[in-house]
CSV table of all heavy atoms in Angstrom, one decimal:
chain,number,residue,atom,x,y,z
A,147,PHE,N,202.7,-164.4,74.0
A,147,PHE,CA,201.4,-163.8,73.9
A,147,PHE,C,200.6,-164.3,72.7
A,147,PHE,O,199.5,-164.7,72.8
A,147,PHE,CB,201.5,-162.3,74.0
A,147,PHE,CG,200.2,-161.6,73.8
A,147,PHE,CD1,199.3,-161.4,74.8
A,147,PHE,CD2,199.9,-161.0,72.6
A,147,PHE,CE1,198.1,-160.8,74.6
A,147,PHE,CE2,198.7,-160.4,72.4
A,147,PHE,CZ,197.8,-160.2,73.4
A,148,VAL,N,201.3,-164.2,71.5
A,148,VAL,CA,200.7,-164.6,70.3
A,148,VAL,C,200.2,-166.0,70.3
A,148,VAL,O,199.1,-166.4,69.9
A,148,VAL,CB,201.6,-164.4,69.1
A,148,VAL,CG1,201.1,-164.9,67.8
A,148,VAL,CG2,201.8,-162.9,68.9
A,149,ASP,N,201.1,-166.9,70.8
A,149,ASP,CA,200.8,-168.4,70.9
A,149,ASP,C,199.6,-168.6,71.8
A,149,ASP,O,198.7,-169.4,71.4
A,149,ASP,CB,202.0,-169.2,71.4
A,149,ASP,CG,203.1,-169.2,70.4
A,149,ASP,OD1,202.9,-169.0,69.2
A,149,ASP,OD2,204.3,-169.6,70.9
A,150,ALA,N,199.5,-168.0,72.9
A,150,ALA,CA,198.4,-168.1,73.9
A,150,ALA,C,197.1,-167.7,73.3
A,150,ALA,O,196.1,-168.4,73.3
A,150,ALA,CB,198.7,-167.4,75.2
A,151,VAL,N,197.1,-166.5,72.7
A,151,VAL,CA,195.9,-165.9,72.1
A,151,VAL,C,195.4,-166.8,70.9
A,151,VAL,O,194.3,-167.1,70.7
A,151,VAL,CB,196.1,-164.5,71.7
A,151,VAL,CG1,194.9,-163.9,71.0
A,151,VAL,CG2,196.3,-163.6,73.0
A,152,ALA,N,196.4,-167.2,70.1
A,152,ALA,CA,196.1,-168.0,68.9
A,152,ALA,C,195.4,-169.3,69.3
A,152,ALA,O,194.5,-169.7,68.7
A,152,ALA,CB,197.4,-168.3,68.1
A,153,ARG,N,195.9,-169.9,70.3
A,153,ARG,CA,195.3,-171.2,70.8
A,153,ARG,C,193.8,-171.0,71.2
A,153,ARG,O,193.0,-171.8,70.9
A,153,ARG,CB,196.1,-171.9,72.0
A,153,ARG,CG,197.3,-172.6,71.6
A,153,ARG,CD,197.9,-173.4,72.7
A,153,ARG,NE,198.2,-172.6,73.9
A,153,ARG,CZ,199.2,-171.9,74.2
A,153,ARG,NH1,200.2,-171.9,73.3
A,153,ARG,NH2,199.4,-171.3,75.3
A,154,ARG,N,193.7,-169.9,71.9
A,154,ARG,CA,192.3,-169.7,72.4
A,154,ARG,C,191.3,-169.3,71.3
A,154,ARG,O,190.2,-169.7,71.3
A,154,ARG,CB,192.4,-168.5,73.5
A,154,ARG,CG,193.1,-169.0,74.7
A,154,ARG,CD,193.3,-167.9,75.8
A,154,ARG,NE,192.0,-167.8,76.6
A,154,ARG,CZ,191.8,-166.9,77.5
A,154,ARG,NH1,192.8,-165.9,77.7
A,154,ARG,NH2,190.7,-166.8,78.1
A,155,LEU,N,191.8,-168.5,70.3
A,155,LEU,CA,190.9,-168.1,69.2
A,155,LEU,C,190.7,-169.3,68.2
A,155,LEU,O,189.7,-169.5,67.7
A,155,LEU,CB,191.5,-167.0,68.4
A,155,LEU,CG,191.6,-165.6,69.2
A,155,LEU,CD1,192.3,-164.6,68.3
A,155,LEU,CD2,190.1,-165.2,69.5
A,156,ASP,N,191.7,-170.2,68.1
A,156,ASP,CA,191.6,-171.4,67.3
A,156,ASP,C,190.5,-172.3,67.8
A,156,ASP,O,189.7,-172.9,67.1
A,156,ASP,CB,193.0,-172.0,67.2
A,156,ASP,CG,192.9,-173.3,66.3
A,156,ASP,OD1,192.7,-173.1,65.1
A,156,ASP,OD2,193.1,-174.5,66.8
A,157,LYS,N,190.5,-172.4,69.1
A,157,LYS,CA,189.4,-173.2,69.8
A,157,LYS,C,188.0,-172.7,69.5
A,157,LYS,O,187.1,-173.4,69.5
A,157,LYS,CB,189.7,-173.3,71.3
A,157,LYS,CG,190.8,-174.2,71.7
A,157,LYS,CD,191.0,-174.2,73.2
A,157,LYS,CE,192.2,-175.0,73.5
A,157,LYS,NZ,192.4,-175.1,75.0
A,158,ARG,N,188.0,-171.4,69.2
A,158,ARG,CA,186.7,-170.8,68.9
A,158,ARG,C,186.3,-170.8,67.4
A,158,ARG,O,185.3,-170.3,67.0
A,158,ARG,CB,186.7,-169.3,69.4
A,158,ARG,CG,187.0,-169.1,70.8
A,158,ARG,CD,185.7,-169.2,71.6
A,158,ARG,NE,186.0,-169.0,73.1
A,158,ARG,CZ,185.5,-168.2,73.8
A,158,ARG,NH1,184.7,-167.3,73.3
A,158,ARG,NH2,185.8,-168.1,75.1
A,159,GLY,N,187.2,-171.4,66.6
A,159,GLY,CA,186.9,-171.6,65.2
A,159,GLY,C,187.5,-170.6,64.2
A,159,GLY,O,187.2,-170.6,63.0
A,160,TYR,N,188.3,-169.7,64.7
A,160,TYR,CA,188.9,-168.7,63.8
A,160,TYR,C,190.1,-169.3,63.2
A,160,TYR,O,190.8,-170.2,63.7
A,160,TYR,CB,189.3,-167.4,64.7
A,160,TYR,CG,188.2,-166.7,65.3
A,160,TYR,CD1,187.9,-167.0,66.6
A,160,TYR,CD2,187.5,-165.8,64.6
A,160,TYR,CE1,186.8,-166.2,67.2
A,160,TYR,CE2,186.5,-165.1,65.2
A,160,TYR,CZ,186.1,-165.4,66.5
A,160,TYR,OH,185.1,-164.6,67.1
A,161,THR,N,190.5,-168.8,62.0
A,161,THR,CA,191.7,-169.2,61.3
A,161,THR,C,192.7,-168.2,61.6
A,161,THR,O,192.6,-167.0,61.3
A,161,THR,CB,191.4,-169.2,59.8
A,161,THR,OG1,190.4,-170.1,59.5
A,161,THR,CG2,192.7,-169.7,59.0
A,162,ILE,N,193.8,-168.7,62.3
A,162,ILE,CA,194.8,-167.9,62.8
A,162,ILE,C,196.1,-168.0,62.0
A,162,ILE,O,196.6,-169.0,61.7
A,162,ILE,CB,195.1,-168.2,64.3
A,162,ILE,CG1,193.8,-168.2,65.1
A,162,ILE,CG2,196.2,-167.3,64.9
A,162,ILE,CD1,193.1,-166.9,65.2
A,163,HIS,N,196.7,-166.8,61.7
A,163,HIS,CA,198.0,-166.6,61.2
A,163,HIS,C,198.8,-165.8,62.1
A,163,HIS,O,198.3,-164.9,62.8
A,163,HIS,CB,198.0,-166.0,59.8
A,163,HIS,CG,197.1,-166.6,58.8
A,163,HIS,ND1,197.4,-167.6,57.9
A,163,HIS,CD2,195.7,-166.5,58.7
A,163,HIS,CE1,196.4,-168.0,57.2
A,163,HIS,NE2,195.3,-167.4,57.7
A,164,GLN,N,200.1,-166.1,62.2
A,164,GLN,CA,200.9,-165.3,63.2
A,164,GLN,C,202.0,-164.6,62.5
A,164,GLN,O,202.7,-165.0,61.6
A,164,GLN,CB,201.5,-166.3,64.2
A,164,GLN,CG,200.5,-167.1,65.1
A,164,GLN,CD,201.2,-167.9,66.1
A,164,GLN,OE1,202.2,-167.7,66.6
A,164,GLN,NE2,200.4,-169.0,66.5
A,165,ALA,N,202.4,-163.5,63.1
A,165,ALA,CA,203.5,-162.7,62.7
A,165,ALA,C,204.1,-162.1,64.0
A,165,ALA,O,203.4,-161.7,64.9
A,165,ALA,CB,203.1,-161.5,61.8
A,166,HIS,N,205.4,-162.0,64.0
A,166,HIS,CA,206.1,-161.5,65.3
A,166,HIS,C,206.8,-160.2,65.1
A,166,HIS,O,207.7,-159.8,65.9
A,166,HIS,CB,207.1,-162.7,65.8
A,166,HIS,CG,206.3,-163.9,66.1
A,166,HIS,ND1,205.4,-164.0,67.2
A,166,HIS,CD2,206.3,-165.1,65.5
A,166,HIS,CE1,204.9,-165.2,67.2
A,166,HIS,NE2,205.4,-165.9,66.2
Side-chain angles (χ1 to χ4, degrees):
F147 173 78
V148 172
D149 290 341
V151 173
R153 280 192 308 274
R154 295 176 80 187
L155 291 174
D156 183 63
K157 287 180 183 178
R158 304 274 180 120
Y160 297 97
T161 301
I162 306 300
H163 306 267
Q164 297 184 26
H166 300 292

